[in-house]
Amino acid sequence: MEPPAVPEEEEEEEEEEGAVPLSMAPGPVGCQLFGYVGIEAVLDQMKIKTMKTGFEFNIMVVGQSGLGKSTMVNTLFKSKVSRKSSQPGQEERIPKTVQLQSITHIIQEKGVKMKLTVTDTPGFGDQINNDNCWDPIIKYINEQYERYLREEILITRKRKIPDTRVHGCVYFVPPTGHWLRPLDLEFMRRLSKIVNVVPVIAKADTLTLEERAEFKQRIQEDLRTHAISVYPQEDFDQDPEDRALNNRIREKIPFAVVGADQEHQVNGKRVLGRKTKWGIIEVENPAHCEFPLLQDLLIRSHLQDLKDITHNVHYESYRVRRLNESNRPGLGPLNGLPAKGEASSHL
Amino acid sequence: MSTAMRYKSKLVNPEEKQDHEKQYVGFATLPNQVHRKSVKKGFDFTLMVAGESGLGKSTLVNSLFLTDLYKDRKLLNAEERINQTVEIIKHTVDIEEKGVKLKLTIVDTPGFGDAVNNTECWKPITDYIDQQFEQYFRDESGLNRKNIQDNRVHCCLYFISPFGHGLRPVDVEFMKALHEKVNIVPLIAKADCLIPSEIRKLKERIREEIDKFGIKVYQFPECDSDEDEEFKQQDRELKAVSVFPPPAPACVFKVKAGYSSSEPLFVGDAISKEERFESAPFAVIGSNTVVEAKGQRVRGRLYPWGIVEVENQAHCDFVKLRNMLIRTHMHDLKDVTCDVHYENYRAQCIQQMTSKLTQDNRIESPIPILPLPTPDTETEKLIKMKDEELRRMQEMLQKMQQQMQDQ
């Protein structure tokens, strides 16, 4: 998002007068407008433009099988976008290795189009020996960065580079109520460096409110001890207002969520929920679970922020790593020419 | 019984007694004699709990035996957890109810299935079970068999995670490694996160997979025809799917205003005789806390959307598990352990020893020769002294335990 290219009146005058070099010119001085100029109309222009082009959002869900990932994705976007909905009738079987399956849908709301890609990771953490089960995932994420990088350094670039980079990775922690397992720690440690990780407590309807609070505290302690920075990361807060907002969110991470795709009748209203013998768990009721908070974070308030951080921070650090690597002899150059030798990136 | 009735029966008996005495031998009192002797001796029972951490094993054990075995449990911090291996921890507790003493041993297996690489994480557990068999085997074949300690594991409760779609690879491997050494009772843990239709599906799925992989879990023995009617009815209930009645219009839910608990009213939840599905594996919920539900204090879990009662048959299978484990099948579990699993182990052991001997000595020896030391009077005296000491120490320990309990 670039600021409008309207030069301030003050700057222009100073340059003409004393030939002061640009680097030493004082910053733009605010001045009072004594009439309506129309600068704010640029916001409307932007809105119209983005509505025409639409958004892209890529989300990845990771966790052991049976934690409700597909149901959660369906509930988040209120449509059948998960892997299971696209392959109905397929029996649940744990694959022998971690596989990555991406499904893309175009969903629309009030004229705004979104190209949503959900990447699922069946087989993660299900085997007896789960060593390095995160490698296929890391490889996938880096491949998407690589793809974007290659498009970016072409001589004739496309007007809009297709963005397949993963903007957010939702990690499902099983609700043991005790602590993070070694597998969770290993995974989040590795992945929080290359992608925005949002941990959530899955199937939280098995924890009472006190157990939930204790569990969250222990998880937060664990994350601090192991220096794992999950989204929203503290380093990227831009101003105090952001920081205050994000601090409130950080207190509640990880969100305790419950997913449901069936509607029931409660007090005359139709709500999404789970009906048990002792009550109905309403998914969108903040007193029951924190699903509304997750929805707010991922979609209503921080969607653009997720994309920005992916683009400005994670992608840039990948790019820097790649470019540094290619400067060393032996690896193929990254300027659009065909590589001399086999340039397999071992990042 | 009122005094009048008692007096009457006394009057009746003397007349009939004489007739009866002629045909009455008296060995019908044998069960009473056995009963009295066993009450004096007391029972012992060893229960193993296994499963990933966080599935509510400790809570369930506390709920089952209404004790607080895991009072001072310290949860490990981050560094300790990274290098955690599977341990075997034993808790022994003496419980007494209506004059019957039970020495209960719980064998816990913390660390099972928690690491990133869980290859052969069940090995410490199989080793432990084999060790107990071996110790019993040696004691049984030894000279002095008066005070044999029976530490063999009588039952293993295996907790299956309710978050999967059935059995995980770890579950299958564990059960396959142990089903011929111990009675396995699989349980679905933390069943309060599943709605009734999910529980049904999960149970079916697990039963299918247990069949598919050929795992031999503990089967309830069939009732004999001369058992009383109540026992037979209980047995039928254990085997039928009574906990979750079919989702027919027969169920009526009454929902209160607001977000407080809703009370389900079941209309016509009788078990139809046609539905004789097994309700194994049991879907259980445990709780350490007592909550107030419908004016009564019950063991349960309090949620914003309702209260789960642990002892409510409509909520979970806890009552069935407790009845099965303690009230009806405890003795059978011990019998199967002694008659089947231990005998298998013993036969294997002896076979190995004979084959080894024939290999080494090339002698045809039909009788298994155990490597026993030749007895002499000195060692016999020593053994007797040690036995006395052991017994004295056991008594002292019991006294101390009682003192601590009284405090």
Side-chain angles (χ1 to χ4, degrees):
Chain A
M1 178 185 158
E2 283 177 35
V6 171
E8 298 266 329
E9 288 178 86
E10 313 288 28
E11 244 181 35
E12 258 190 313
E13 282 180 23
E14 281 181 38
E15 280 177 41
E16 283 170 4
E17 277 176 5
V20 176
L22 270 171
S23 55
M24 290 209 23
V29 181
C31 66
Q32 290 282 18
L33 298 173
F34 41 83
Y36 178 68
V37 177
I39 301 176
E40 60 150 3
V42 72
L43 287 174
D44 288 329
Q45 295 172 26
M46 266 181 56
K47 247 207 267 185
I48 297 177
K49 192 149 189 211
T50 44
M51 273 176 63
K52 274 207 212 142
T53 52
F55 290 92
E56 277 174 321
F57 189 55
N58 307 322
I59 187 173
M60 179 185 270
V61 282
V62 184
Q64 276 184 326
S65 80
L67 283 181
K69 304 187 291 291
S70 305
T71 314
M72 174 59 53
V73 167
N74 283 351
T75 322
L76 263 177
F77 296 103
K78 297 239 167 66
S79 48
K80 301 216 177 285
V81 289
S82 71
R83 159 184 65 105
K84 293 206 189 139
S85 312
S86 318
Q87 307 162 338
Q90 254 208 10
E91 217 197 72
E92 277 312 312
R93 206 167 285 129
I94 297 178
K96 290 282 179 199
T97 51
V98 180
Q99 301 171 347
L100 283 128
Q101 294 174 351
S102 292
I103 317 245
T104 309
H105 292 265
I106 298 189
I107 53 183
Q108 197 179 47
E109 188 185 62
K110 290 200 185 140
V112 179
K113 272 199 276 243
M114 179 151 93
K115 182 161 161 248
L116 172 72
T117 306
V118 179
T119 308
D120 202 346
T121 56
F124 176 83
D126 287 327
Q127 311 306 324
I128 297 182
N129 182 355
N130 291 313
D131 272 337
N132 300 325
C133 63
W134 45 79
D135 278 348
I137 299 175
I138 295 182
K139 195 164 132 221
Y140 175 83
I141 293 176
N142 285 336
E143 268 172 24
Q144 308 313 309
Y145 287 149
E146 182 71 24
R147 208 184 284 187
Y148 194 87
L149 184 64
R150 288 204 180 271
E151 290 282 340
E152 209 186 33
I153 57 183
L154 285 177
I155 298 175
T156 41
R157 298 198 280 209
K158 290 198 199 135
R159 204 174 133 116
K160 189 162 150 52
I161 304 176
D163 190 0
T164 54
R165 301 171 293 187
V166 177
H167 299 130
C169 174
V170 184
Y171 185 71
F172 287 72
V173 175
T176 56
H178 290 191
W179 49 59
L180 284 179
R181 301 167 303 158
L183 176 65
D184 304 331
L185 287 167
E186 289 292 314
F187 179 85
M188 286 204 270
R189 195 158 50 96
R190 293 194 159 82
L191 257 77
S192 55
K193 298 190 189 136
I194 57 175
V195 75
N196 297 321
V197 175
V198 181
V200 294
I201 301 176
K203 296 209 167 173
D205 51 347
T206 190
L207 297 170
T208 59
L209 293 178
E210 299 96 47
E211 291 170 352
R212 221 188 259 181
E214 272 175 26
F215 191 32
K216 277 199 209 190
Q217 232 183 356
R218 283 195 214 117
I219 292 185
Q220 284 169 0
E221 240 179 72
D222 265 350
L223 293 175
R224 264 197 298 270
T225 318
H226 291 261
I228 301 176
S229 62
V230 295
Y231 185 81
Q233 294 97 334
E234 281 179 345
D235 307 325
F236 309 136
D237 284 338
Q238 285 170 346
D239 50 37
E241 212 181 86
D242 253 358
R243 173 151 306 164
L245 176 66
N246 285 346
N247 273 343
R248 274 202 298 274
I249 297 176
R250 278 190 276 266
E251 273 168 33
K252 302 229 171 99
I253 292 263
F255 295 131
V257 294
V258 178
D261 46 13
Q262 284 179 331
E263 289 192 339
H264 300 276
Q265 198 87 355
V266 171
N267 292 346
K269 282 192 297 182
R270 310 254 331 144
V271 287
L272 271 179
R274 290 166 65 72
K275 184 147 94 166
T276 59
K277 291 266 153 56
W278 45 87
I280 297 188
I281 305 163
E282 296 168 42
V283 166
E284 293 178 323
N285 181 348
H288 287 193
C289 82
E290 294 174 342
F291 175 78
L293 291 176
L294 179 69
Q295 204 177 35
D296 278 347
L297 180 76
L298 281 183
I299 304 177
R300 292 182 194 169
S301 51
H302 285 69
L303 193 146
Q304 191 56 40
D305 190 45
L306 280 165
K307 292 177 67 169
D308 284 341
I309 294 189
T310 309
H311 181 71
N312 297 331
V313 177
H314 296 297
Y315 171 66
E316 288 299 315
S317 60
Y318 175 83
R319 186 167 165 275
V320 163
R321 271 203 310 266
R322 269 313 255 134
L323 293 176
N324 277 339
E325 269 186 22
S326 71
N327 279 340
R328 293 192 228 120
L331 293 170
L334 284 175
N335 49 8
L337 299 173
K340 286 189 202 139
E342 231 307 286
S344 58
S345 62
H346 32 264
L347 279 160
Chain B
M1 245 177 27
S2 64
T3 39
M5 285 276 294
R6 254 184 284 150
Y7 198 59
K8 200 170 165 198
S9 58
K10 270 201 185 142
L11 279 178
V12 163
N13 275 348
E15 289 181 354
E16 299 183 337
K17 220 182 180 180
Q18 286 183 3
D19 293 330
H20 277 266
E21 264 178 16
K22 294 181 196 159
Q23 309 135 337
Y24 187 58
V25 179
F27 59 81
T29 58
L30 263 172
N32 289 345
Q33 296 176 28
V34 171
H35 179 257
R36 252 181 296 143
K37 277 212 161 181
S38 356
V39 168
K40 263 198 235 168
K41 201 169 85 168
F43 297 92
D44 61 1
F45 189 66
T46 308
L47 179 69
M48 176 183 267
V49 285
E52 285 177 5
S53 67
L55 286 180
K57 302 188 291 291
S58 321
T59 315
L60 188 75
V61 167
N62 283 346
S63 308
L64 268 177
F65 297 101
L66 292 176
T67 57
D68 224 352
L69 278 176
Y70 295 92
K71 244 184 311 204
D72 299 317
R73 207 154 61 124
K74 194 173 75 94
L75 294 180
L76 305 171
N77 69 17
E79 288 91 51
E80 288 167 4
R81 258 179 275 141
I82 300 277
N83 299 323
Q84 196 184 28
T85 50
V86 183
E87 293 168 46
I88 306 271
I89 298 186
K90 265 177 25 167
H91 297 265
T92 308
V93 86
D94 277 315
I95 312 180
E96 186 175 321
E97 193 185 59
K98 294 201 186 146
V100 180
K101 290 196 263 285
L102 173 69
K103 177 162 160 270
L104 174 71
T105 309
I106 308 277
V107 181
D108 202 355
T109 57
F112 175 81
D114 287 340
V116 180
N117 183 354
N118 290 315
T119 317
E120 302 241 315
C121 61
W122 50 85
K123 199 148 180 323
I125 301 175
T126 47
D127 285 347
Y128 175 81
I129 295 180
D130 281 341
Q131 260 172 31
Q132 305 313 308
F133 280 158
E134 192 187 312
Q135 185 221 328
Y136 193 82
F137 183 37
R138 287 202 180 281
D139 285 349
E140 202 188 40
S141 329
L143 290 173
N144 197 327
R145 308 206 291 186
K146 271 193 231 162
N147 298 320
I148 302 181
Q149 283 264 352
D150 186 6
N151 290 326
R152 297 174 291 185
V153 180
H154 298 127
C155 176
C156 175
L157 294 178
Y158 186 68
F159 287 70
I160 300 173
S161 166
F163 311 124
H165 294 286
L167 292 176
R168 284 189 214 270
V170 189
D171 301 335
V172 174
E173 292 301 313
F174 176 89
M175 290 205 271
K176 284 217 302 222
L178 259 80
H179 65 155
E180 306 210 314
K181 294 187 199 276
V182 75
N183 299 317
I184 297 187
V185 176
L187 301 173
I188 299 178
K190 290 202 171 177
D192 54 350
C193 76
L194 298 170
I195 60 180
S197 57
E198 291 171 351
I199 294 196
R200 234 196 319 267
K201 251 197 294 186
L202 186 62
K203 284 191 184 184
E204 265 175 38
R205 191 69 194 275
I206 292 181
R207 281 201 292 270
E208 263 175 40
E209 293 184 340
I210 287 182
D211 275 337
K212 189 167 94 167
F213 291 107
I215 298 171
K216 302 188 206 118
V217 294
Y218 176 70
Q219 302 288 343
F220 306 122
E222 287 297 334
C223 276
D224 295 325
S225 54
D226 56 348
E227 297 273 5
D228 60 33
E229 191 53 47
E230 196 189 301
F231 191 77
K232 270 200 255 186
Q233 168 69 8
Q234 264 187 345
D235 197 60
R236 240 178 283 143
E237 277 180 23
L238 261 178
K239 294 185 177 159
V241 61
S242 65
V243 176
F244 303 107
C251 296
V252 172
F253 276 74
K254 191 167 53 160
V255 179
K256 283 203 203 139
Y259 298 127
S260 54
S261 67
S262 50
E263 292 171 31
L265 282 178
F266 290 103
V267 175
D269 66 346
I271 317 154
S272 68
K273 282 200 183 141
E274 283 75 40
E275 292 178 4
R276 283 181 135 268
F277 297 111
E278 294 174 35
S279 71
F282 295 129
V284 292
I285 303 173
S287 164
N288 280 331
T289 52
V290 178
V291 294
E292 184 97 20
K294 296 180 216 150
Q296 279 185 326
R297 292 183 66 76
V298 289
R299 253 183 195 251
R301 292 170 65 74
L302 176 62
Y303 290 114
W305 48 85
I307 300 182
V308 179
E309 296 166 43
V310 165
E311 301 192 353
N312 184 339
Q313 293 238 34
H315 287 188
C316 71
D317 293 335
F318 174 80
V319 175
K320 283 201 183 143
L321 173 70
R322 186 180 56 191
N323 287 348
M324 190 278 280
L325 199 59
I326 304 174
R327 296 182 191 173
T328 48
H329 290 82
M330 187 183 257
H331 205 73
D332 184 65
L333 283 165
K334 291 176 70 169
D335 279 345
V336 174
T337 310
C338 294
D339 297 339
V340 178
H341 300 297
Y342 173 67
E343 291 299 318
N344 281 343
Y345 173 83
R346 190 167 167 276
Q348 263 182 356
C349 222
I350 295 178
Q351 238 181 12
Q352 276 177 359
M353 278 196 278
T354 37
S355 65
K356 208 167 152 255
L357 277 173
T358 51
Q359 262 182 4
D360 292 343
N361 304 343
R362 298 184 191 253
I363 300 174
E364 289 284 325
S365 155
I367 307 167
I369 303 170
L370 289 166
L372 292 171
T374 47
D376 59 354
T377 43
E378 276 286 359
T379 39
E380 266 201 330
K381 260 195 241 166
L382 266 172
I383 292 174
K384 273 204 195 134
M385 264 172 46
K386 297 273 181 194
D387 271 335
E388 276 292 321
E389 262 187 76
L390 257 172
R391 214 166 348 118
R392 256 182 281 137
M393 276 174 63
Q394 270 181 352
E395 279 175 12
M396 260 172 46
L397 263 169
Q398 267 186 351
K399 267 195 228 152
M400 275 167 59
Q401 265 185 350
Q402 267 207 336
Q403 271 180 7
M404 273 166 53
Q405 270 183 357
D406 294 334
Q407 277 174 10

